[in-house]
Amino acid sequence: MSFILAIDQGTTSSRAILFDAAMQVVGIAQQEFRQHFPRDGWVEHDAEEIWTTTLAVCRRVLADHAVAANQLAGIGITNQRETTVIWDRQTGRPIHNAIVWQDRRTAALCAGLLRDGLEPVVEAQTGLRLDPYFSGTKVKWLLDTIEGARESAAAGALAFGTIDSFLIWRLTGGQVHATDATNAARTLLFDIHRGVWSEEICRALDVPAALLPEVKDSAADFGLTDPAMLGAAVPILGVAGDQQAATIGQACFAPGMMKSTYGTGCFALLNTGTHPVASSHRMLTTIAYQLDGRRTYALEGSIFIAGAAVQWLRDGLGIIDSAAQSGVLAQRADPSQHVTLVPAFTGLGAPYWVPECRGAVFGLTRNSGPAEFARAALDSVAFQTRDLWEAMQADWCQAHGHSPDVVLRVDGGMSASDYTMQRLSDILGAPVDRPVMQETTALGAAWLAGMRAGLYPGMEEFAAGWALDRQFAPGLPEPDRREAYDRWKRAVAAAMAV
Ligand SMILES: Nc1ncnc2c1ncn2[C@@H]1O[C@H](COP(=O)(O)OP(=O)(O)O)[C@@H](O)[C@H]1O
Ligand SMILES: O=P(O)(O)OC[C@H](O)CO
């Protein structure tokens, strides 16, 4: 039993990553699935497709590498967070498509709850904001909308879960209804301080306790897979939301360590230790991981558009053929021009939280062309990260009376761009560390399971194995950094004013 299977169930694809006893990647299988946009602002996934693609990639990666299920010491699950499924306990069938984290259908519901004065309770107990992003109002929408759902839920016939929970249910053949603390922390229903479902918020949202999963540590016994799934009963031993799994995979275990993942969007988490730090700068407070019943907390900043700006250069503007070309093109930009892109294509996330804001470009001249657009798109990722960086440092300062000594570790597809990572370091005025290991999210889930199985080392030894690929050191003089960031702040203010 010398392998660990990590399941990474993401927003656009399901992946299975096989790790060996030395925590090295043996193989990866991946399958995309359909995105459903039934109305403006609505985003759904077919939960059955999430299940079939997940099972298919697990079977494929094992078959491709001739590894039998009885050679697995355990399974770790990491997942797109907040996405909401409600299913029938008897049949296992979802009562509706999964409502995805990006879905905005509950905006009016949130506005109503805000007027009712629920926001202070939500912030104090969950560390989140009253925003459609999180699961709670999606659950309420489903119970209010699907005929008979509210009565069935009250009678205990239905189960709610984030994607980890739904996969655990399916993998165990309907035996286990559980989640981990990091996923529970994203539901808007979980008291992150007491580590229990919040009766007050559940009451306000009309969510019956009978609907909710048991909340466990991130490394725990989540049940055995039904042998019909993979060919043998395999224990599920690790579960964490994908951004928390990346924090673990990056070994950001000490307070002051921060990871920033650059995929379609960007999610930055700053470890704040065993005491939660409340944000007065519009960051989220969340659980980074829970081990042996002890919660470690993080401040989180979520940016909706990062790599998606590069996709826009490729698919929207057609000025590059591949994402990798963006850095080459950006380096050819005229240094005397200051074209600034505010990529608020789907509104602005942290720290602005303005869903109705849309993108804008400033500083165009007759000489502005593809190179200046490419630079503006990549630079926008650095500027947005600086927004989070400033907010988190200010929150930390308020809590501790001094600035943190931040170590920033980056990952995700866009961290492959040397240009962007250098620019990030320049704009932050701080070093940026990129690890050798690219699969940090899957590694985090695998480590949780492998550590629980006794195959992988404990936290300290795991952290010591983190290896640097490249450190980007800041090269921009302070006045230039200030001037560039001031220009960005003015551009955001102008975009928000339109
Ligand atoms: N060399 C590169 N330069 C700039 N952006 C890149 C590069 N490689 C990938 N990207 C961007 O990274 C994103 C893919 O990263 P990934 O971590 O796979 O994202 P996700 O998990 O959200 O699908 C895409 O948006 C792509 O445009
Ligand atoms: O699936 P990803 O990588 O886009 O991550 C989604 C986040 O977990 C949403 O909070």
Side-chain angles (χ1 to χ4, degrees):
M1 300 225 286
S2 45
F3 296 91
I4 295 287
L5 182 64
I7 295 172
D8 179 2
Q9 204 303 307
T11 310
T12 56
S13 73
S14 302
R15 305 166 79 232
I17 303 96
L18 188 62
F19 287 85
D20 66 15
M23 286 187 288
Q24 297 302 308
V25 175
V26 176
I28 301 176
Q30 178 164 6
Q31 199 172 325
E32 289 190 10
F33 53 85
R34 279 169 299 173
Q35 309 288 313
H36 299 273
F37 307 107
R39 289 193 206 173
D40 182 31
W42 291 29
V43 188
E44 296 180 359
H45 293 158
D46 178 349
E48 290 296 347
E49 217 183 333
I50 286 187
W51 166 243
T52 51
T53 53
T54 300
L55 187 60
V57 291
C58 289
R59 288 175 171 166
R60 179 143 41 94
V61 78
L62 293 176
D64 285 352
H65 298 277
V67 170
N70 62 12
Q71 291 174 274
L72 295 175
I75 292 177
I77 299 177
T78 180
N79 55 288
Q80 53 167 321
R81 307 168 305 166
E82 299 98 11
T83 299
T84 299
V85 192
I86 296 183
W87 64 93
D88 184 309
R89 291 180 189 270
Q90 198 73 44
T91 63
R93 272 201 290 278
I95 63 166
H96 188 271
N97 274 347
I99 303 183
V100 179
W101 58 276
Q102 297 150 323
D103 192 291
R104 313 299 300 173
R105 80 185 62 187
T106 58
L109 183 55
C110 288
L113 293 165
L114 193 74
R115 280 193 300 276
D116 293 347
L118 194 65
E119 178 125 283
V121 181
V122 162
E123 285 190 6
Q125 296 191 11
T126 71
L128 307 175
R129 306 171 57 80
L130 209 38
D131 190 278
Y133 178 22
F134 309 105
S135 319
T137 57
K138 300 180 201 286
V139 175
K140 178 167 169 54
W141 186 90
L142 285 167
L143 294 182
D144 287 346
T145 310
I146 308 300
E147 215 184 312
R150 190 160 283 294
E151 294 72 33
S152 303
L158 300 181
F160 150 71
T162 38
I163 295 299
D164 56 309
S165 201
F166 177 62
L167 292 179
I168 292 167
W169 178 273
R170 285 289 174 100
L171 284 166
T172 60
Q175 295 301 307
V176 180
H177 185 210
T179 188
D180 90 302
T182 68
N183 275 294
R186 314 298 298 184
T187 60
L188 208 81
L189 303 172
F190 192 67
D191 184 327
I192 61 169
H193 308 281
R194 293 188 299 139
V196 293
W197 297 113
S198 160
E199 295 103 22
E200 192 176 354
I201 299 172
C202 287
R203 206 173 322 112
L205 293 182
D206 249 335
V207 174
L211 200 63
L212 301 172
E214 181 189 351
V215 183
K216 293 176 172 258
D217 281 354
S218 309
D221 295 325
F222 290 90
L224 293 173
T225 61
D226 179 337
M229 301 302 163
L230 302 174
V234 184
I236 303 168
L237 298 174
V239 174
D242 56 9
Q243 303 310 320
Q244 282 87 346
T247 308
I248 295 166
Q250 288 274 29
C252 289
F253 295 133
M257 294 184 82
M258 177 171 164
K259 76 88 205 179
S260 195
T261 301
Y262 296 94
T264 308
C266 159
F267 297 88
L269 266 79
L270 172 70
N271 184 323
T272 59
T274 48
H275 295 290
V277 170
S279 177
S280 32
H281 298 85
R282 309 176 126 216
M283 296 290 105
L284 306 173
T285 306
T286 203
I287 296 176
Y289 43 86
Q290 180 176 309
L291 298 171
D292 298 323
R294 254 165 75 94
R295 283 179 288 284
T296 295
Y297 295 90
L299 281 167
E300 173 173 329
S302 322
I303 303 170
F304 301 139
I305 304 290
V310 177
Q311 289 165 354
W312 174 69
L313 295 177
R314 189 193 59 192
D315 306 333
L317 297 185
I319 60 174
I320 52 172
D321 295 321
S322 70
Q325 284 174 1
S326 59
V328 180
L329 191 57
Q331 267 160 332
R332 292 212 293 265
D334 173 2
S336 70
Q337 289 189 49
H338 298 297
V339 178
T340 303
L341 168 70
V342 180
F345 302 147
T346 54
L348 283 171
Y352 306 102
W353 301 104
V354 187
E356 60 279 6
C357 184
R358 288 297 173 265
V361 183
F362 297 92
L364 294 176
T365 74
R366 282 283 293 271
N367 292 328
S368 303
E372 287 71 32
F373 270 84
R375 185 181 60 188
L378 298 182
D379 285 6
S380 72
V381 172
F383 290 128
Q384 292 183 99
T385 309
R386 166 109 184 232
D387 288 338
L388 303 182
W389 175 264
E390 301 248 314
M392 287 182 182
Q393 303 228 13
D395 282 334
W396 178 290
C397 251
Q398 256 173 22
H400 298 279
H402 60 87
S403 300
D405 205 1
V406 179
V407 171
L408 175 59
R409 295 179 169 177
V410 291
D411 54 38
M414 203 181 185
S415 70
S417 167
D418 288 353
Y419 171 85
T420 311
M421 295 302 107
Q422 181 56 53
R423 194 67 176 143
L424 178 61
S425 174
D426 286 343
I427 296 300
L428 295 180
V432 169
D433 294 346
R434 183 173 65 194
V436 173
M437 168 52 100
Q438 296 291 302
E439 295 292 341
T440 49
T441 303
L443 177 65
W447 177 71
L448 289 168
M451 185 254 305
R452 177 86 184 167
L455 182 68
Y456 291 169
M459 191 178 266
E460 259 174 50
E461 195 182 331
F462 173 72
W466 185 92
L468 182 72
D469 164 51
R470 180 164 168 190
Q471 181 171 76
F472 298 87
L476 200 65
E478 181 55 31
D480 295 351
R481 176 166 31 251
R482 201 174 319 121
E483 191 190 325
Y485 188 57
D486 285 349
R487 196 177 301 116
W488 162 257
K489 296 293 277 183
R490 288 196 300 276
V492 172
M496 289 198 297
V498 174

